[in-house]
Amino acid sequence: MSTQVSLEERFQARIDAEQKIEPKDWMPEAYRKTLIRQISQHAHSEVVGMLPEGNWITRAPSLRRKVALLAKVQDEAGHGLYLYSAAETLGISREELYNELLSGKAKYSSIFNYPTLTWADMGAVGWLVDGAAIMNQVALCKCSYGPYARAMVRVCKEESFHQRQGFEILLTLSKGTPEQRAMCQDAINRWWWPSMMMFGPNDSDSPHSAQSMRWKIKRYSNDTLRQKFVDMAAEQIRVLNMTLPDPDLRWNEERGHYDFGPIDWNEFNEVLKGNGPCNRERLAARRKAWEEGAWVREAAMAHAAKRQQQSVQSH
Amino acid sequence: MRDFLLLLADNTQILGHRLGEWCGHGPELEIDMAMTNLALDLVGQSRNYYQYLAELEGKGRTEDDLAYLRDAREFRNCLLVEQPNGDFARTVARNFLFDSWHFFFLQALCNSNDERLAAIAAKSLKEVTYHLRWSSEWVIRLGDGTEESHRRIQDAFDHLWTYRGELLTPAPFETEAASAGYGVDLHSIKPLTEDKLADILYQATLRRPEDGWMQSGGKTGRHSEHLGYLLAEMQYVQRAYPNSVW
Ligand SMILES: [Fe+2]
Ligand SMILES: [Fe+2]
Ligand SMILES: [Fe+2]
């Protein structure tokens, strides 16, 4: 018992001293579990996140946009891979994690349960959704768990490129025809509040936050990051000559931040429970790809086994 | 020159588009990423050809006008590349039939007397070397994998074989291109692609389908019904909002 206490104390001391925890280091079971849950949710989000944008690859309006979108969705697959690898360092397999996603047991970011209805959504998703993701992920680059922090450094570089690309799509639309301008505003209207919800519940309703902050998995509170996001978007929306769909949005001189209106947590909770517009489709698409790919994965394994046997016999 | 460039541009554009349809739906993440790479390369190659053609025309048309504002009857791609993805085996077989032709075609095109074409071919060849390796390896893996994968890939070849003839049968504009020195003599690459095919099918323990009736017409704009749907989707935004910048 006393050795346990001292292990935990030493662990916390290392964290307080800003040392990175590495896979072979001792760590409390709860720390490991928290990380597995968080990293795998993050990985699943990348992989489910391929779907709403993949939805526009075949309809991208120019060859340049088509190439950029293909590359972006491919980046997200890559992010999924780094993150599954980071989770695997904690002693769980990618297959196990993936099964939890397919069974509906594991969560992924609720934002991907909203539909992409027009081309402008490719801009709004890049600007707002990747933008909100970056706020979270930049903070995670300093996370106490080494493999996660390092994966995030790579991911962040690409995410900020996605965000700029999304903004540039909107900027082009904002300078376009009246139809394009309307499309642009409509996409911003639809993606704004769901993006605000990406930071999670208010700090007062966020039960795991305190422990995660102590472990330095989390560096900033949900509300702090959300405020940073609002401050960024409230400035950039002016460049677009569009508006954010929040009548309460205004600069607060005293706070040095933008004030904003209340979030509809009821909607957030419903989407989380599975009642978002696309929850069923997203999971069904992931299951379909996985099930229809089973024979391919089996064939690859069977072939590799045959090859190995041949090389054993020929020696 | 125009039709010849369109053949190259449309082949790569349409096959790239088909591969893009897989994006996010592949059998596993690594395969998904690999197919997206193929799509990126092919769409990139098509842009080189469209841009060159647009410059040659000198009418102020852009790569996008060429890709998005022509109708199916004006597309010059061969029938093979517009065939639907089907299951993964169908996609692999389609890609391999194309790649095992495309690779040798580009090798020959590197000797084109048109410098720009030769340069595009040389650049594309690097990418297509990888494409051919990718599809060859998958043909072998599926052919010499499980009973099910063997059956599926054999079915795929049986189904697609009828579209293979068109790759090696020159349209009039290709004969013209070859004799003018900027194109490729398809007869010269035929033995090379046959050898490659025989080698890979052998390693994959697959049977070479009978050379029966071969479909043709794509190169002169007489396509299968599939192309119309593909273009309806691909061209929708450009057509619905004309004269816009994206
Ligand atoms: Fe992301
Ligand atoms: Fe990502
Ligand atoms: Fe992203």
Side-chain angles (χ1 to χ4, degrees):
Chain A
M1 191 67 206
S2 66
T3 48
Q4 181 75 11
V5 168
S6 72
L7 278 172
E8 281 195 24
E9 276 169 0
R10 250 188 296 163
F11 175 82
Q12 189 62 47
R14 288 188 62 192
I15 287 187
D16 294 340
E18 298 291 331
Q19 286 174 18
K20 290 275 179 265
I21 305 301
E22 296 299 334
K24 292 206 172 83
D25 296 341
W26 184 88
M27 62 186 83
E29 234 3 74
Y31 177 84
R32 182 188 302 276
K33 279 212 177 102
T34 302
L35 275 170
I36 289 177
R37 192 186 37 143
Q38 186 173 335
I39 300 174
S40 63
Q41 275 183 15
H42 194 164
H44 300 330
S45 301
E46 301 287 351
V47 171
V48 175
M50 295 169 74
L51 298 170
E53 290 185 280
N55 183 38
W56 278 86
I57 287 173
T58 55
R59 292 176 291 170
S62 74
L63 297 177
R64 181 170 80 91
R65 296 291 186 203
K66 187 173 184 162
V67 166
L69 188 57
L70 277 165
K72 182 186 173 185
V73 179
Q74 188 189 39
D75 283 348
E76 305 301 1
H79 298 170
L81 281 184
Y82 311 154
L83 285 160
Y84 284 122
S85 307
E88 282 185 321
T89 64
L90 291 158
I92 187 160
S93 72
R94 174 167 145 198
E95 180 123 28
E96 270 175 273
L97 294 172
Y98 208 69
N99 279 329
E100 286 180 1
L101 170 69
L102 298 181
S103 72
K105 190 181 152 212
K107 294 268 176 280
Y108 56 87
S109 178
S110 280
I111 193 75
F112 301 119
N113 291 317
Y114 290 87
T116 51
L117 301 178
T118 71
W119 170 251
D121 289 35
M122 296 304 98
V125 167
W127 179 46
L128 295 172
V129 176
D130 286 275
I134 292 168
M135 294 286 166
N136 279 317
Q137 290 169 3
V138 165
L140 286 168
C141 292
K142 288 189 281 172
C143 158
S144 60
Y145 188 58
Y148 193 22
R150 288 188 290 272
M152 278 304 110
V153 173
R154 272 173 93 174
V155 167
C156 279
K157 279 192 199 129
E158 292 176 351
E159 297 294 7
S160 58
F161 182 71
H162 297 166
Q163 192 195 17
R164 277 203 301 276
Q165 194 169 280
F167 188 77
E168 200 258 323
I169 287 174
L170 293 180
L171 191 62
T172 306
L173 294 173
S174 75
K175 293 175 183 161
T177 63
E179 288 90 342
Q180 286 177 305
R181 289 185 50 77
M183 194 187 279
C184 180
Q185 182 64 61
D186 168 62
I188 292 167
N189 291 348
R190 281 182 290 107
W191 288 95
W192 174 248
W193 289 110
S195 302
M196 290 283 278
M197 294 173 195
M198 283 175 72
F199 298 93
N202 288 130
D203 295 347
S204 49
D205 303 315
S206 185
H208 303 299
S209 281
Q211 181 58 54
S212 279
M213 298 271 268
R214 219 169 302 126
W215 279 333
K216 298 196 175 167
I217 293 173
K218 219 175 150 96
R219 291 284 181 153
Y220 304 97
S221 77
N222 295 352
D223 287 329
T224 308
L225 292 172
R226 186 162 20 238
Q227 181 69 60
K228 242 179 121 179
F229 176 71
V230 173
D231 292 346
M232 179 272 306
E235 290 296 324
Q236 293 184 350
I237 193 78
R238 302 212 296 235
V239 181
L240 294 176
N241 239 326
M242 297 277 146
T243 56
L244 293 173
D246 179 356
D248 297 323
L249 186 79
R250 64 181 57 83
W251 177 250
N252 182 324
E253 191 65 57
E254 217 170 292
R255 293 203 308 123
H257 288 293
Y258 280 87
D259 288 339
F260 53 92
I263 290 170
D264 181 359
W265 293 113
N266 188 37
E267 174 181 325
F268 176 79
N269 288 322
E270 285 304 319
V271 180
L272 210 59
K273 271 192 269 171
N275 295 324
C278 301
N279 293 60
R280 287 181 191 81
E281 283 95 328
R282 298 297 185 239
L283 216 49
R286 289 271 59 106
R287 282 192 193 125
K288 182 168 184 282
W290 188 249
E291 283 159 17
E292 290 180 357
W295 69 269
V296 178
R297 298 189 301 274
E298 280 161 22
M301 289 203 316
H303 180 74
K306 282 185 196 177
R307 278 286 152 102
Q308 202 178 0
Q309 211 171 13
Q310 280 166 6
S311 76
V312 168
Q313 280 167 357
S314 66
H315 278 94
Chain B
M1 188 77 154
R2 183 193 146 80
D3 282 330
F4 185 65
L5 277 172
L6 281 176
L7 167 71
L8 304 179
D10 294 343
N11 269 347
T12 44
Q13 176 62 31
I14 299 301
L15 187 59
H17 185 92
R18 283 292 189 216
L19 287 162
E21 292 174 357
W22 270 106
C23 187
H25 305 278
E28 67 182 6
L29 278 174
E30 288 85 348
I31 302 176
D32 208 299
M33 290 173 76
M35 286 195 284
T36 306
N37 260 335
L38 305 177
L40 279 165
D41 287 346
L42 290 165
V43 175
Q45 291 168 20
S46 80
R47 294 181 68 189
N48 293 332
Y49 297 122
Y50 285 136
Q51 286 166 7
Y52 184 29
L53 178 56
E55 282 171 38
L56 284 180
E57 281 187 342
K59 290 189 219 150
R61 289 213 289 182
T62 65
E63 55 171 2
D64 290 329
D65 295 333
L66 289 166
Y68 293 97
L69 301 178
R70 281 179 305 136
D71 284 332
R73 297 280 283 131
E74 298 164 77
F75 271 71
R76 292 284 169 265
N77 60 278
C78 55
L79 298 171
L80 177 70
V81 296
E82 71 199 41
Q83 297 310 305
N85 287 335
D87 66 357
F88 182 69
R90 188 72 69 85
T91 291
V92 163
R94 185 191 60 201
N95 276 39
F96 175 68
L97 290 176
F98 184 76
D99 298 340
S100 59
W101 166 83
H102 196 203
F103 176 81
F104 297 107
F105 180 88
L106 288 173
Q107 257 185 354
L109 193 62
C110 288
N111 299 319
S112 169
N113 64 12
D114 184 289
E115 275 177 32
R116 176 86 168 259
L117 260 183
I120 297 175
K123 187 166 174 282
S124 305
L125 186 60
K126 287 194 194 122
E127 296 168 345
V128 171
T129 304
Y130 165 75
H131 298 188
L132 178 58
R133 180 152 35 103
W134 184 85
S135 58
S136 299
E137 283 174 1
W138 272 108
V139 168
I140 294 168
R141 247 178 236 133
L142 297 182
D144 190 22
T146 63
E147 228 170 273
E148 180 178 8
S149 69
H150 181 90
R151 176 180 53 75
R152 284 180 185 257
I153 188 78
Q154 183 68 62
D155 280 355
F157 277 113
D158 291 346
H159 177 84
L160 292 169
W161 203 254
T162 186
Y163 303 110
R164 184 171 175 263
E166 192 183 16
L167 294 171
L168 291 159
T169 311
F173 62 82
E174 285 179 284
T175 310
E176 198 187 303
S179 57
Y182 62 84
V184 170
D185 174 14
L186 294 181
H187 301 293
S188 72
I189 64 170
K190 190 168 181 190
L192 299 169
T193 135
E194 287 291 347
D195 282 355
K196 183 74 191 174
L197 198 79
D199 173 36
I200 300 300
L201 290 181
Y202 173 77
Q203 289 189 55
T205 71
L206 291 169
R207 164 180 54 73
R208 187 186 197 279
E210 296 295 321
D211 283 328
W213 175 254
M214 290 292 168
Q215 299 294 333
S216 65
K219 291 175 179 181
T220 50
R222 208 181 62 245
H223 291 276
S224 63
E225 289 178 347
H226 303 298
L227 186 65
Y229 290 96
L230 185 154
L231 293 181
E233 194 172 331
M234 178 175 126
Q235 299 180 336
Y236 143 72
V237 179
Q238 283 266 351
R239 301 275 194 177
Y241 306 93
N243 305 315
S244 309
V245 175
W246 300 96

